[in-house]
Amino acid sequence: MNYLFNASGRDRITLWYLDNRSIRKKSVPNRTWIFVTGAVHDLEFLSGQLDEVEWIRYSWDERRDIYGLLKGIRIDLNPSCIRRMVEAIDVIGLGRKLMVYNADINPSLRYLSENNLTLFPLESPDFLDIVPEITQIEATTYGKELKSIVLDGKHIDPSRRESYAGIAHRIQESGIVIYGNYGKQTEMILERIGRMGIDIPGYRIIRGNSYESYGQVHYNCNRISMSGRLCIESSSFTFSEAGLPGLIEVSRISSVPLETASVITPGTAVSSMEVSFALKKGVLVPLYKNDHEAEKTVRELIATDRGGLVLQPDPGLYRNVYEIDFSSMYPSIIVRHNLSPETITRGVGQEIPGTPYRVRTDRTGFLSEALSHLLSRRLYYKSIRDREHIYAQRDTALKWMLLTSFGYTGYKNAKFGRIEVHESITSTGRWAMTRSMRIAESMGFKVIHGIVDSLWIEGDGDVDTLLEKIREETRIDIVMDGHYAWILFLPSRSGIGALNRYLGLRTDGTYKARGIEVRRSDVPDICRKFQMEAMKLFENCFTPEAIVSKRGKYKVLKDRYTNSMHTFPEEDFYINVSPSRRMEEYGVNNISRIVMKKWKSMGHEISPGENVSVKVVNWKMRVVEPASGKGSIDYAFYRKYVLRAFEAFDYLVECAARAQGSGKSAYKGLYFFSEN
Amino acid sequence: MGRSTPTVRQSTNSIVEKYARMKTCMRSTDIEIFEELIRMGRKHSPEVSEAGLDAETGFTLSALLEILKLIRSVSERDHD
C-alpha cells in the first residue's frame, strides 16, 4: 500500500509514502513556471531582456486569473530561481509596469496541486487516517531543571540515562514526533541526549516569536525540526484545538505538509487551500494584488464599514428561550450569495442589502466555488461529530478554517480577498439577522438577544416553522442550538446588559455558559470549582421557584468557599498569566510584570503572549512563585477572585426570587425589574 | 467591529467619557440620575449603528426612547 503523507523540497520534491507502516521516499524533479503580464510594449521589452540570457526558457501565452483572460509571458524555471527572477522583472518593469503570477507558492503545495495529489487521501470522508509511528514527549521544568518527563503517556525518571536512551530510541523509530516545548523542555531533553552521546537524528531549533491577532498577544514557542521526521509542537493552535486528526484534515484540505500545517494559522491554511484550488483550476495566483479598494464616499464608507449585528440584551432571567444559530453564517453567505472579488460590481446584478454594490449571478464566483467544498465538508462532519471523536476533531479544524475564511476577504494581502466582499458579507449577515428577528416577532416570539449569527428568542411559537421560513428567505441554513428552561443574561459594570456573559439551563439538563469564570482561563481553579458546584446545585432547577428553594444550600456553598479556602488543594490557586507586553513597557507593578521579573531572576525571559502558571505567595510584598515552586498561598489575595465568582449566581438567585410565582421572565430594564 | 471607522459603541464610549466630566461639579443626588441617563443613552447602540446615525444623535434618541418607555410603564403601573 502506498499512502502519501508528506512532501518536501524545492527543485526536487520528495514524496513521503507509507508502505505497510514503513516510510518510503520518492524524489522527483520539479520544474515550474511563472507568468508575467502588462502592456504589450512592456512585455516586448521584457522579452528582449530575457533573450539576452541564454538559459532562460520562455513563451508567449494566454492564461486566466479570477477576472478573465490575460496575455503574457510564461517563464519556465526551477523554484529556487523564482526569487531572483522576480527581482529582475521588478527592475525591468520599474516595480509597477509588470504583474507577476504564480511566483510565491510553496513548491510542495504547487507540485501536489498541479499533479492532483492529496496528502492523507481518504476514499470516503468516514474513513480513519493512516499515520506513521508516533511518539509524544511532554515534560515539566522548574527554572532550568527538568522536573518530570512523560514519554508516550508514561512517566519516566528525568535523572536516569536510560530514560534519555528510551526517548532517543522512540524518536528513531517514529515518523511523527509530537513534543511540548513551551518551557523549552524538549530542547533541554535533546541537549541532554546529545551530551550523553546517544544517537538521534539531526535537528535544528527555530526561534519562537510573539505576535498580535484580533487585539490579543500570542506567543509561538521555539520549534524543533528534525531530519526525516514530522515534528509537531503540542501547544500549536490547530493541534491543541483539534488534535492530530484535525491537523491532518487541514493538511489534506489545504495541500500544506503536516509539519507546516502545525505552525500556520487557520487563515493561512484557508489561503493555501484557495491557492491550491486555483492551481487545480488553472487560475493564476497574483504575487502582489492589484485589486485595490474602489473609490467610495465618506457616507458609503461609514455605511458599509461595519461588522456583525450585536443586540443589547436587558440583563435578567428569561424562561422558555430558544437559541437559533446560522450554521457557518459567513462562509454560507459567500457560497450561497455568490460573493467573490470578481462578482461584486456597482453596475449589474442583484442588489446587496445595505451596500451600494451588486452581485453578478450569471457565473459562479471563484471564492464561492473554492469555499463550497470546505463548507459542505464541514457541515457533513458537524452532522456526524457525535459518532466518533475523530469526526469532531475534523469538524473543529474545518470550523476554524471557515471562521477565518471570512476575515481573509478583508485582509489587504489576501490573494483572493477584496474589501468590498468583506463589506458585502457583513452587510448580508446583518440583513439576515434583522429579517430573522422580524419573522420571529411575526410568529409571536420575543427577541431577547442576538450576536452576529445567533438569536435568543422567547415564546411558545412553532420553532421548526420559524427555522424553515428563515432558511427560505435568507438562503442560509439555520438550526436550533438549544431550548432553555431559563437563561440568565448578566449585567455589565456600566449597568446595561453584558453582550457576552450568560448562563442558561437547557431543558435536557445541560448548561451553556459564556464569559463567566467557569469559561475563563485567567482565573484560579477555585473559582471554576465554585461555579461548577453551583451549577451542580441548580442543575435540576428548571423554574424560578426551584432555584429559590436552593437558596439555603447555596449560602452554605458560598460560606464553604469563603471560610475554608485553606482546605482546598494548592493547585486550585494557580493562575495562568500571559503578559501582553515586554517587562519594561509595564507602567505599574501588576501581576504580569511581577511574574516576568521573577522568571527573569530564574534565568528565563518571558516573551509577550507566553503563558505561565503561578501562585501568589504574598501579594502585599508582591511575591509570586511558579506553580510548582515553594511558598504558601496568600488566601486574602484569592478572596476577591472567589467573591467575583459568586456574582453570576447571586444574580441568578435575585432574579429567580423576583420571577417566582409569576410563571414569567424577570429582566431588568434600566430602572426596575419587569415581568414579561 | 469596524475596519477603519469606530463602531457606534466605541463612539458612544467617547461621548460618555466627555459627558462624565460633568459629574465633577454635580450634586451627588443628581449623579445617580445622570448615570441612569448615560445607561439609557448607551442602550440602543445596535439600532443607531444600523441606521448609520452619528453617535451623539443616537445617544440622545436612545435616552429619549428609554425615558418614554419609563413614563409609559410607570403610568401603566399606576393604571393597574
Side-chain angles (χ1 to χ4, degrees), chain A residues 319 544-545 659-665 676:
Chain A
R319 301 180 64 184
E545 293 76 15
Q660 68 174 337
S662 67
K664 294 172 181 172
S665 299
N676 173 36

Side-chain angles (χ1 to χ4, degrees), chain A residues 301-531:
Chain A
L301 175 70
I302 291 168
T304 55
D305 179 26
R306 285 152 55 195
L309 180 68
V310 180
L311 302 180
Q312 183 68 61
D314 280 327
L317 184 74
Y318 297 86
R319 301 180 64 184
N320 190 26
V321 172
Y322 294 94
E323 182 183 351
I324 56 174
D325 262 16
F326 285 104
S327 312
S328 298
M329 184 194 223
Y330 286 167
S332 295
I333 290 173
I334 297 173
V335 173
R336 310 261 157 76
H337 291 252
N338 200 31
L339 302 182
S340 185
E342 79 282 15
T343 57
I344 305 273
T345 69
R346 286 243 180 186
V348 291
Q350 265 179 20
E351 250 179 64
I352 300 171
T355 70
Y357 315 127
R358 288 170 177 271
V359 60
R360 289 181 63 161
T361 49
D362 54 342
R363 60 172 171 173
T364 308
F366 172 83
L367 206 56
S368 324
E369 206 178 346
L371 289 183
S372 65
H373 172 60
L374 184 63
L375 180 64
S376 53
R377 199 171 170 91
R378 194 262 154 150
L379 293 177
Y380 177 70
Y381 282 125
K382 190 181 178 186
S383 70
I384 61 165
R385 61 173 292 141
D386 296 334
R387 248 199 267 163
E388 291 271 357
H389 185 51
I390 189 172
Y391 299 149
Q393 289 174 303
R394 286 178 188 169
D395 174 48
T396 305
L398 296 174
K399 186 181 100 175
W400 277 110
M401 284 179 74
L402 282 168
L403 273 174
T404 48
S405 67
F406 150 72
Y408 251 54
T409 60
Y411 173 47
K412 67 178 166 45
N413 292 329
K415 300 284 183 194
F416 303 105
R418 208 179 130 196
I419 196 68
E420 286 81 358
V421 179
H422 190 276
E423 291 168 345
S424 303
I425 296 165
T426 53
S427 186
T428 309
R430 291 193 301 273
W431 166 81
M433 282 285 276
T434 47
R435 277 309 303 146
S436 307
M437 283 166 61
R438 290 291 164 261
I439 297 169
E441 282 169 352
S442 72
M443 291 179 66
F445 290 99
K446 183 185 170 197
V447 177
I448 295 163
H449 189 28
I451 304 177
V452 184
D453 59 355
S454 304
L455 277 176
W456 286 265
I457 53 172
E458 185 185 41
D460 291 317
D462 180 354
V463 180
D464 290 332
T465 310
L466 170 69
L467 297 178
E468 198 48 54
K469 278 190 174 179
I470 295 175
R471 251 178 242 133
E472 209 174 282
E473 185 151 339
T474 62
R475 285 182 280 155
I476 310 167
D477 196 24
I478 189 164
V479 292
M480 190 183 75
D481 204 42
H483 180 201
Y484 297 90
W486 54 260
I487 188 164
L488 180 77
F489 285 102
L490 293 157
S492 65
R493 300 266 166 233
S494 69
I496 56 174
L499 304 179
N500 210 4
R501 286 183 70 218
Y502 58 86
L503 172 72
L505 178 64
R506 296 190 186 97
T507 48
D508 64 4
T510 59
Y511 280 104
K512 181 170 182 179
R514 290 289 181 272
I516 63 172
E517 281 75 358
V518 75
R519 295 276 306 186
R520 293 178 58 161
S521 59
D522 59 345
V523 295
D525 253 357
I526 189 164
C527 299
R528 275 188 288 274
K529 267 194 175 171
F530 165 76
Q531 293 202 336

Side-chain angles (χ1 to χ4, degrees), chain A residues 9 42 72 75 265 430 491 565:
Chain A
D42 291 325
I75 305 170
T265 60
R430 291 193 301 273
M565 280 170 78

Side-chain angles (χ1 to χ4, degrees), chain A residues 209-213 216-220 237 265 608-609:
Chain A
N209 63 317
S210 302
Y211 63 97
E212 199 181 323
S213 172
Q216 284 195 320
V217 180
H218 301 271
Y219 175 70
N220 274 335
F237 182 80
T265 60

